Amino acid sequence: VPADGVYWLEVSAELMRTTDLVWNAWYLSGLYPKMARLSLELIAKYGKVIAGFAETSSTTGGLGWDASASPPTWEASALAVRLSRAASDLLQVVSSLSENGSIAKPLMDRLPLVSGEQGEELAKALLEDAAKSLQPTLQLLQDGMLKQVVAAMGTPFAAIRGIPAFYRMLNKPVPSKASPYVESSIRPLTAFREVLVHSTISDQKIMNCWL
């Protein structure tokens, strides 16, 4: 499992390596505007790459839910798992654009003094816009993940829908406790929460929103 600052996708790691070079090894104070523009362009391109990954992945590969495993689990190659890892990377990049983030901090620290307060506000606005531009991509990843989870839950739920008719046909009393189908039907959802944790998505608000 990646530690903080380590990425699942090579494209994410390359983005962070390159922006680090921009603001350190390659940095020249006289080229601040170009360095800032290059960083923002790299982030925009990264967002398009991840969006492309989310869109193409949704049409390829199997479900990857192993209901026969003990306990039932998502395979490492499952689309839901791969999308969650991309989301983990994207969230780290978004975090790097926030105050004191690994991209935002050097961009703000190296802001020329002559820029004044107006320049500082502009730089902050550009960072905020860059972070906001990644939100549609995060939504694509979220939609793709949840689509896979719902698909995995479909078969058990189909069985649940037949239970009332079964009891009416046999003239049996209504069950007084939860059917075993209930646990099996929600297992893809509970197992996916574990996937998010292992993908280093630990923000409880985000997990609650997705699940």
Side-chain angles (χ1 to χ4, degrees):
V1 177
D4 184 38
V6 180
Y7 299 86
W8 290 102
L9 304 180
E10 179 59 30
V11 66
S12 305
E14 186 60 31
L15 169 69
M16 302 311 291
R17 281 195 294 265
T18 304
T19 52
D20 180 67
L21 287 170
V22 165
W23 294 106
N24 290 286
W26 298 348
Y27 183 73
L28 294 172
S29 58
L31 297 178
Y32 178 89
K34 291 186 177 181
M35 296 297 193
R37 180 178 177 180
L38 175 59
S39 295
L40 296 173
E41 288 177 348
L42 287 170
I43 293 164
K45 185 174 182 180
Y46 169 78
K48 290 180 180 179
V49 170
I50 299 300
F53 167 76
E55 291 170 348
T56 57
S57 296
S58 64
T59 60
T60 60
L63 187 60
W65 170 247
D66 188 355
S68 63
S70 183
T73 188
W74 291 95
E75 298 172 355
S77 60
L79 177 56
V81 174
R82 290 186 283 122
L83 291 175
S84 74
R85 291 175 175 178
S88 171
D89 282 10
L90 188 64
L91 287 169
Q92 286 196 70
V93 172
V94 170
S95 178
S96 75
L97 296 167
S98 62
E99 187 176 2
N100 293 322
S102 57
I103 293 178
K105 190 175 189 308
L107 190 148
M108 295 303 298
D109 288 349
R110 294 186 181 279
L111 188 69
L113 293 177
V114 295
S115 301
E117 186 176 337
Q118 186 176 4
E120 183 178 344
E121 292 302 316
L122 175 59
K124 287 181 179 179
L126 289 171
L127 288 167
E128 290 176 2
D129 287 346
K132 288 179 182 177
S133 72
L134 297 175
Q135 291 304 315
T137 300
L138 187 60
Q139 185 65 48
L140 275 176
L141 294 169
Q142 175 187 333
D143 292 346
M145 287 186 288
L146 297 185
K147 182 178 180 180
Q148 296 298 302
V149 173
V150 170
M153 295 172 68
T155 300
F157 269 113
I160 290 175
R161 284 194 292 269
I163 290 176
F166 176 77
Y167 276 84
R168 285 196 299 270
M169 181 179 67
L170 298 180
N171 198 27
K172 297 179 68 174
V174 176
S176 58
K177 59 182 180 180
S179 165
Y181 285 115
V182 174
E183 183 178 355
S184 65
S185 66
I186 65 172
R187 182 56 190 168
L189 184 63
T190 56
F192 188 64
R193 176 176 287 273
E194 297 167 15
V195 166
L196 294 181
V197 171
H198 288 303
S199 296
T200 67
I201 298 177
S202 56
D203 189 311
Q204 197 62 42
K205 288 183 179 180
I206 289 174
M207 291 177 65
N208 290 340
C209 177
W210 288 355
L211 301 178

